[in-house]
Amino acid sequence: MTHSSTRTDPAPIVARISPADVARWAFWGPLRNALDPDDPRLIKALRSAWRFQYAAARGGRKLMEDEFRKCFAGRYADSEYRGLVADAYRCAWRVHLEELLLGKVDAQTIGTFMTFEGVENLDQALERGKGVIWTYPHAGGVMLMLAWLAHNGYRYVQYAARGLPPPKIAAANPSLMATNRLREQVRAVREQNEDKVPCTFLTMDQPTRELYRRLADNELVGIAFDGRAAQKFFVHPLLGRRAVLSSGPYRLAVSRKAAVVPAMCVTPRTGPAICKVGTPIVPGKDWREVAEEVLRVEDAWLCQYPSEYGIWLLHCRRRAMLDDHPLFGDTAPDDRWKKWVGK
C-alpha cells in the first residue's frame, strides 16, 4: 500500500567550498590516481607529510591532549602527552594515505600494507560453523584490515553507518549533512573504493535478519565495538572512564551462539600495518559476560597503543554534545547519557 503526499524532504545545506574541501578532493583525486600498490615507494615517501596535518590541527591537538589526559591521568609527563598527540596524527595520516589504495590492492599486494598476527584464532572460531562476530575499535587501518580478510578468502560482512551520522542526529543537526560538489565527489570516490573490495557492506537501516543469515552461513560480521550508530547502549569502564557502548555485538553473539573475536589494528613506524587477533570468546547466556571479556582485551590493547585511538577520541569529543550516547559520559553536556546505566 502506498500513500501520496506533498511533503518533501528539506533541501540539503550547501556548504561553501573551503581549503579543507579542496585538500580532501586533491587527496582522493589526483593523489589517489598517482598511487600504485605494485610500487609503494611514493606512498612511503609521503608518510612524513603527517607533520603538515599536525601543524594545521591547532585546536584539535588541544582537545586530543585533554582526552589523553582523561584516559591516562598521571601516567605520562606533560611532554609525553604532547608526544601521544603527535604520534596520533602520524598514525592517522598513514592510515588515510594507505586507504587510498583500498580499491587497488588485491590478494598479491595487500600484504605489502597489512599483516595479521593470530589469524589462527579466527580460523579456530570459524571451525564452530556458527559464524563470527569480528569486533574492533576505530583505531588503525580498519579498512585495509577488512580488505586483507576479503582478499584472503574470508567471507566478510561490514555492519556500519558507512560514514554518515545516525538519522536522528542528522535530523537534529542538519549542518552535519552540509555538502558541496567537492564533498560529494570525495564521498563517491571513497564508496567506489570500498565497493571494489570483495566483501559486503550492510548499513544500520537494513534488517537484522540479514546478519542472522550471514552468521548461519559461517561468515564474519564486522562491528566496531565503539561505534555510535546503534539502538541499545550500556555503560562500561574503558580507559579508566565510563564509556557508553553498543550492546549489539554481544547480544547478537548470544542469540546466534556465534563466537566473538576481538581485533585491533596497529600502525608501526616501519613495515606494514598489523592487525592483532585475539582468542575467540564463546558466548554463554549472558551478553554482559561476553562484553566484559571482549572489552578487557580491547582495553589492554588501547592502553598499549594509545596513539592509535587519538583521532577517534577527538572525533567523539567533538560530537559529544549531539546526542544522549557520547563515547564517554564525562564529556556530555548533561545527564541524558545516564539513562543507559544498567541497561
Side-chain angles (χ1 to χ4, degrees), residues 118-343:
V119 72
E120 64 277 4
N121 291 326
L122 173 56
D123 295 333
Q124 177 187 341
L126 287 171
E127 288 175 0
R128 301 179 65 250
K130 297 181 180 292
V132 164
I133 308 295
W134 176 264
T135 191
Y136 53 87
H138 282 85
V142 168
M143 297 306 292
L144 284 182
M145 171 195 76
L146 67 88
W148 188 98
L149 289 166
H151 285 301
N152 278 275
Y154 293 93
R155 294 182 297 163
Y156 188 93
V157 179
Q158 181 64 40
Y159 188 56
R162 207 170 186 184
L164 295 175
K168 289 184 179 179
I169 297 176
N173 303 274
S175 62
L176 292 178
M177 303 299 287
T179 188
N180 56 45
R181 60 184 179 84
L182 291 188
R183 294 182 189 181
E184 288 300 312
Q185 288 177 22
V186 168
R187 181 180 167 191
V189 171
R190 293 186 68 164
E191 292 195 357
Q192 288 167 10
N193 261 4
E194 293 173 0
D195 289 340
K196 291 178 181 178
V197 179
C199 64
T200 302
F201 291 92
L202 295 178
T203 56
M204 299 291 184
D205 57 352
Q206 291 173 289
T208 307
R209 63 177 176 271
E210 179 63 16
L211 299 181
Y212 295 167
R213 187 179 73 80
R214 299 288 182 151
L215 291 172
D217 288 342
N218 205 30
E219 297 186 26
L220 280 70
V221 172
I223 306 175
F225 79 79
D226 54 1
R228 312 321 302 151
Q231 299 297 321
K232 297 180 180 180
F233 293 88
F234 70 112
V235 177
H236 192 279
L238 183 73
L239 297 177
R241 302 163 73 180
R242 299 177 80 185
V244 185
L245 302 171
S246 170
S247 60
Y250 320 112
R251 294 178 187 271
L252 181 61
V254 169
S255 69
R256 310 315 295 176
K257 304 303 180 186
V260 182
V261 177
M264 179 171 166
C265 297
V266 178
T267 315
R269 291 185 177 274
T270 60
I274 303 166
C275 178
K276 295 181 175 291
V277 185
T279 303
I281 299 165
V282 178
K285 295 182 179 180
D286 188 348
W287 67 264
R288 288 185 176 276
E289 291 182 358
V290 182
E292 182 79 27
E293 184 61 19
V294 169
L295 294 172
R296 181 189 64 80
V297 175
E298 297 287 5
D299 188 85
W301 275 331
L302 290 173
C303 287
Q304 186 177 359
Y305 305 102
S307 296
E308 303 288 352
Y309 212 43
I311 293 296
W312 188 246
L313 289 174
L314 176 60
H315 171 81
C316 292
R317 175 67 173 268
R318 285 173 166 165
R319 298 288 182 92
M321 61 182 58
L322 299 183
D323 55 42
D324 64 358
H325 54 277
L327 179 59
F328 293 113
D330 58 22
T331 61
D334 50 48
D335 289 339
R336 287 179 300 159
W337 67 275
K338 291 184 177 179
K339 78 176 188 178
W340 302 108
V341 175
K343 295 289 186 177

Side-chain angles (χ1 to χ4, degrees), residues 78-122:
D78 288 348
S79 61
E80 291 176 312
Y81 285 113
R82 292 190 291 273
L84 285 179
V85 173
D87 199 45
Y89 278 94
R90 175 196 67 80
C91 292
W93 171 256
R94 176 176 167 181
V95 167
H96 293 153
L97 188 63
E98 293 183 349
E99 280 184 357
L100 295 178
L101 298 171
L102 191 63
K104 297 183 176 184
V105 291
D106 55 23
Q108 286 69 48
T109 56
I110 184 63
T112 303
F113 306 97
M114 172 65 71
T115 60
F116 269 50
E117 291 182 358
V119 72
E120 64 277 4
N121 291 326
L122 173 56

